Amino acid sequence: RVADVLKAQGNIEEALKAYRDGLVIAERLAASDRSSTQRQYNLAFLHGRAGDVLMAQGKLDDALKSYGDSLAIFERLTAADPSNTEWQRNLQYSIDSMGGLAYELVLARDFTRALEASDLLISIAPDGSRVFTVGTSRSSNMVTIAYDTAGTL
């Protein structure tokens, strides 16, 4: 919660530090009891929040790692309990965040990383059922452009 307040106040550096401090604790707790879905959820949630701050700072490579970690955990959680709507929502948020990051990577002309992000999304939902929502339509369009452009480089 402290990190969220710092972020809302525009104190991005301190918010990132608070998220990272929380991640250290969450990683330790999640590792001590891998069967605890709540601990796994907390870890995934913090990775996503850290990714948001990293993306806001323009640290796109670091955001890619954080979003990827969050996405992987939420994917495991939803696979274990597909009826959990909170986990489904958080998985979709992670997918949307990764789509937004792919868009930012294309704008930064980092096509290799944009493709990495989009490939990760496609691996989660090869049929596109989760990936190309209304919220990520601009990202999917930009990723398509990235694929086309990267192929001609």
Side-chain angles (χ1 to χ4, degrees):
R1 302 249 184 245
V2 171
D4 292 338
V5 171
L6 291 166
K7 182 181 169 194
Q9 292 174 339
N11 194 343
I12 301 298
E13 274 303 317
E14 287 299 313
L16 182 58
K17 182 184 179 321
Y19 284 129
R20 285 185 169 158
D21 290 347
L23 274 167
V24 169
I25 295 167
E27 286 170 349
R28 194 173 327 129
L29 290 171
S32 72
D33 184 2
R34 294 198 184 279
S35 66
S36 171
T37 55
Q38 185 60 50
R39 289 180 179 185
Q40 297 299 317
Y41 171 88
N42 292 342
L43 180 59
F45 185 81
L46 285 171
H47 275 300
R49 291 295 177 116
D52 292 343
V53 172
L54 290 162
M55 193 158 88
Q57 291 179 320
K59 298 177 180 175
L60 303 183
D61 285 344
D62 292 337
L64 181 59
K65 167 95 173 77
S66 286
Y67 284 149
D69 290 345
S70 178
L71 196 54
I73 296 168
F74 279 128
E75 184 180 18
R76 282 194 307 273
L77 288 172
T78 56
D81 184 3
S83 66
N84 188 314
T85 56
E86 182 178 0
W87 294 348
Q88 293 288 338
R89 260 191 323 275
N90 280 286
L91 176 62
Q92 188 61 55
Y93 179 83
S94 293
I95 288 169
D96 290 346
S97 296
M98 186 67 83
L101 176 62
Y103 175 76
E104 292 299 322
L105 288 163
V106 168
L107 293 179
R109 304 193 55 79
D110 188 347
F111 300 120
T112 301
R113 300 298 262 177
L115 293 175
E116 182 181 334
S118 62
D119 284 346
L120 182 60
L121 293 173
I122 291 167
S123 73
I124 290 170
D127 63 353
S129 60
R130 289 186 172 273
V131 177
F132 301 116
T133 62
V134 173
T136 59
S137 63
R138 69 183 180 147
S139 302
S140 63
N141 289 337
M142 293 304 291
V143 169
T144 300
I145 292 167
Y147 271 112
D148 293 342
T149 305
T152 62
L153 295 177

